């Protein structure tokens, strides 16, 4: 009984500092003692948010996409086209999302039983349901059939049966459609909390994933892996795309959120004059404040993308030359979104008396040419360059106030889950699938391209298929390093085609023979993590999603 109570209390009180243990002995606490006020409800929701972030949430999608990879040699299986069942990020991604689901189930059940008035109870239940839907959505996109439970656990179990993918999606859609009218209006809760605009984005993503995956199914290509989507949702594609248009139109008409049209660089970073954690384009974003995360904890929650959030010896990421070269050179996302010259602030004296520093500048017209060679004079010292690194780094997520002189203080950055640019491109994609290259479709794409400083499109300029490819391109450029490219490529059925011929060495240098990155139908669905197969006997003999080989 005590374990059951502790489980519920951890879900309710995680991250809360409002409970005075001197008032009541810990062993006497009961769930009935809490969930009585709005503060109690807020504390319970905070416990769910604790499982929104982990190193795997961005690392795993990034490793599997075609525009990013990893510098960690443990992931050689990923780079070569597969993934090992014991890869730590695989298990962490699974465990993080199921911890989120478990906490959400506890919170929802206890809120329903609470004496709170409905005007307080229902918005919090709706928020917990939307968070649970997002956790399951992250799971079902990678694994298809997964264990699915909407109730709190009333006893300790380690075995859960697999639920068919289509059934899970329909549950998520029903939950989110119910939650929408009850969710908070934008601005009612602090930034980082999920409101009705954020929930609309999750629901749009689900509808678009189901409809476009069903459309992309092709038994003659690697997209045959999408057969489960085709079997479940082919007859509902048009209705789903129409609903995407409705949902995203409501988001785009928001008085609280808006597309940043003047300056793309204002979407990112933190400085004495700019705090991008509060910019209007970020509909739903993680919130990280200065000094909260220590150096080791930091790398669990934030990506190692810039010199202000430097990479460690394992798990650091880079952008491939192919991704950078695909940009129009006038594109602001190319000119201002990537660090072409890099000087690491961390000086590491070597036993031979020299100080080594990571310094490089890459020639985009010749990826094998090292521009910055030799000795670099810094602060009166001879600083020798590590010449094995030629990674490209993104300027997204910069905190220009952060220095590495004090490793106990981390940067103040944010990772957006959804931002307004995605609402525009979701709408354009749905419109193109329904009505082809219309004025409405190109207007929404052009809103993104206009601020990037590149040529605009015209209605009727492309066929439906041609515009679909350009929307994929636009998503690759706009959301690079935001953990979205793999899902775009999968739902559009072009994972193999877009990844063909990619060759990336562990240190980010391309063109190394013997390291191809193929993508076949097997790569659309991940294997169940080894640790879960051992724990849950329902998974021991389970295979990935079935499709016609």
């Amino acid at each position: 009984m005590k374990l059951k109570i502790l489980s519920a209390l951890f879900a309710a009180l995680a991250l809360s500092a409002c409970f005075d243990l001197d008032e009541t002995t810990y062993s006497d606490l009961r769930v009935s003692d809490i969930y009585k006020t709005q503060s109690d409800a807020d504390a319970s929701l905070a416990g769910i948010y604790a499982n929104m972030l982990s190193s795997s949430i961005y690392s795993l999608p990034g490793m599997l996409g075609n525009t990013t990879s990893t510098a960690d040699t443990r992931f050689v299986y990923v780079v070569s086209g597969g993934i090992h069942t014991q890869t730590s990020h695989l298990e962490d991604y699974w465990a993080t999302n199921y911890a989120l689901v478990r906490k959400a189930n506890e919170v929802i059940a206890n809120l329903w039983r609470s004496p709170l008035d409905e005007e307080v109870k229902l918005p919090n239940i709706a928020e917990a349901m939307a968070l649970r839907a997002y956790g399951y959505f992250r799971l079902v996109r990678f694994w298809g059939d997964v264990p699915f439970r909407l109730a709190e656990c009333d006893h300790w179990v380690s075995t859960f049966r697999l639920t068919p993918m289509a059934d899970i999606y329909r549950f998520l859609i029903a939950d989110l459609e119910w939650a929408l009218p009850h969710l908070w209006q934008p601005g009612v809760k602090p930034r980082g909390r999920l409101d009705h605009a954020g929930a609309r984005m999750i629901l749009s993503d689900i509808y678009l994933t189901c409809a476009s995956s069903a459309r992309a199914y092709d038994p003659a290509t690697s997209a045959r892996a999408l057969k489960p989507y085709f079997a479940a949702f082919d007859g509902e594609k048009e209705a789903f795309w129409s609903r995407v248009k409705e949902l995203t139109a409501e988001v785009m008409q928001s008085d609280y959120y808006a597309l940043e049209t003047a300056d793309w660089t204002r979407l990112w970073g933190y400085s004495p004059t700019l705090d991008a954690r509060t910019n209007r384009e970020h509909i739903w974003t993680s919130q990280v404040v200065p000094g909260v995360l220590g150096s080791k904890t930091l790398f669990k929650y934030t990506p190692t993308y810039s010199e202000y959030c430097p990479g460690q010896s394992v798990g650091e990421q880079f952008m491939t030359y192919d991704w950078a070269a695909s940009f129009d050179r006038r594109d602001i996302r190319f000119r201002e979104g990537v660090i072409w010259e890099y000087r690491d602030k961390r000086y590491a004296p070597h036993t031979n008396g020299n100080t080594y520093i990571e310094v490089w500048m890459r020639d985009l017209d010749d990826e094998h040419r090292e521009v910055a060679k030799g000795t670099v004079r810094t602060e009166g010292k001879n600083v020798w360059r590590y010449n094995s690194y030629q990674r490209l780094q993104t300027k997204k997520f910069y905190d220009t106030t952060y220095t590495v002189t004090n490793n106990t203080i981390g940067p103040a950055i944010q990772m957006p889950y959804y931002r307004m640019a995605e609402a525009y491109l979701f709408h354009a994609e749905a419109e193109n699938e329904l009505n082809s290259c219309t004025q409405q479709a190109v207007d929404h794409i052009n809103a993104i391209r206009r601020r990037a400083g590149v040529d605009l499109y015209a209605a009727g300029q492309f066929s439906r298929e041609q515009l679909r490819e350009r929307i994929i391109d636009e998503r690759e450029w706009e959301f690079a390093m935001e953990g979205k490219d793999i899902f775009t490529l999968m739902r559009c059925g072009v994972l193999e085609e877009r990844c063909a011929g990619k060759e990336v060495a562990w240190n980010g240098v391309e063109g190394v023979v013997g390291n191809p990155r193929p993508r076949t139908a097997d790569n659309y669905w991940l294997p169940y993590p080894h640790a879960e197969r051992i724990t849950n006997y329902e998974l021991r003999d389970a295979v990935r999603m079935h499709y016609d080989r």
Side-chain angles (χ1 to χ4, degrees), residues 64-65 77-84 141-143 222-226 486 489-490 495-496 499 517-527 544-545 547 549:
L64 297 172
Y77 300 102
V78 178
V79 175
S80 63
I83 187 166
H84 197 279
R141 281 191 294 185
F142 271 145
W143 280 280
S222 67
R224 62 185 178 276
L226 298 175
I486 182 64
L489 301 181
M490 288 196 300
L495 190 63
E496 183 176 30
C499 294
R517 300 181 69 191
R519 291 293 185 273
T520 66
D522 289 322
N523 299 119
Y524 278 75
W525 304 104
L526 297 183
R544 291 185 289 185
M545 294 292 293
Y547 51 85
R549 288 178 169 81

Side-chain angles (χ1 to χ4, degrees), residues 324-525:
S326 70
F327 272 107
D328 186 314
R329 298 305 173 92
R330 298 167 297 171
D331 196 322
I332 192 172
R333 297 167 298 189
F334 172 85
R335 292 185 289 106
E336 299 296 333
V338 178
I339 306 170
W340 301 119
E341 184 174 6
Y342 179 86
R343 284 179 169 81
D344 197 328
K345 294 182 178 180
R346 297 170 298 171
Y347 301 151
H350 196 268
T351 55
N352 63 11
N354 294 323
T355 298
Y356 288 87
I357 183 173
E358 191 176 312
V359 178
W360 54 259
M361 184 188 301
R362 197 164 191 176
D363 186 338
L364 292 178
D365 296 318
D366 181 0
E367 73 260 37
H368 301 296
R369 180 186 174 209
E370 296 180 18
V371 177
K373 281 189 174 182
T375 303
V376 180
R377 283 296 282 190
T378 304
E379 298 177 358
K381 300 177 182 178
N382 282 325
V383 180
W384 298 84
R385 177 181 181 271
Y386 283 124
N387 58 12
S388 62
Y389 293 94
Q390 294 184 342
R391 293 188 305 279
L392 302 177
Q393 305 278 352
T394 178
K395 286 184 179 179
K396 290 181 179 179
F397 323 117
Y398 254 42
D399 175 0
T400 58
T401 68
Y402 176 64
T403 67
V404 295
T405 56
N406 183 351
N407 284 330
T408 64
I409 297 178
I413 67 171
Q414 81 296 323
M415 289 294 294
Y417 302 117
Y418 292 103
R419 52 189 180 91
M420 187 62 79
E422 193 154 27
Y424 276 69
L425 292 178
F426 275 175
H427 196 287
E429 184 174 343
E431 170 65 12
N432 180 58
E433 296 299 343
L434 289 169
N435 303 306
S436 194
C437 186
T438 64
Q439 188 66 53
Q440 186 180 85
V442 297
D443 281 348
H444 291 320
I445 301 171
N446 285 341
I448 308 301
R449 293 181 63 79
R450 184 176 291 108
R451 73 174 179 185
V454 293
D455 295 338
L456 306 183
Y457 298 151
Q461 181 178 356
F462 308 110
S463 67
R464 176 182 284 107
E465 292 71 23
Q466 289 171 332
L467 187 59
R468 183 185 301 137
E469 289 295 320
R470 281 160 176 78
I471 291 172
I472 295 173
D473 287 339
E474 208 65 48
R475 288 187 59 84
E476 295 287 273
W477 299 325
E478 182 66 27
F479 302 116
M481 290 303 213
E482 294 181 52
K484 294 180 180 291
D485 48 344
I486 182 64
F487 301 119
T488 300
L489 301 181
M490 288 196 300
R491 79 158 181 266
C492 293
V494 294
L495 190 63
E496 183 176 30
E497 292 77 4
R498 288 272 177 154
C499 294
K502 297 294 185 300
E503 294 182 351
V504 185
W506 73 270
N507 63 356
V509 182
E510 293 198 36
V512 178
V513 178
N515 197 17
R517 300 181 69 191
R519 291 293 185 273
T520 66
D522 289 322
N523 299 119
Y524 278 75
W525 304 104

Side-chain angles (χ1 to χ4, degrees), residues 104-114 151-152:
N105 285 340
E106 296 272 0
V107 170
I108 292 167
N110 285 302
L111 282 173
W112 277 121
R113 291 192 292 261
S114 76
E152 60 183 328

Side-chain angles (χ1 to χ4, degrees), residues 4 106 149 151-157:
K4 176 184 173 183
E106 296 272 0
R149 186 180 178 89
E152 60 183 328
C153 291
D154 55 1
H155 58 284
W156 294 105
V157 295

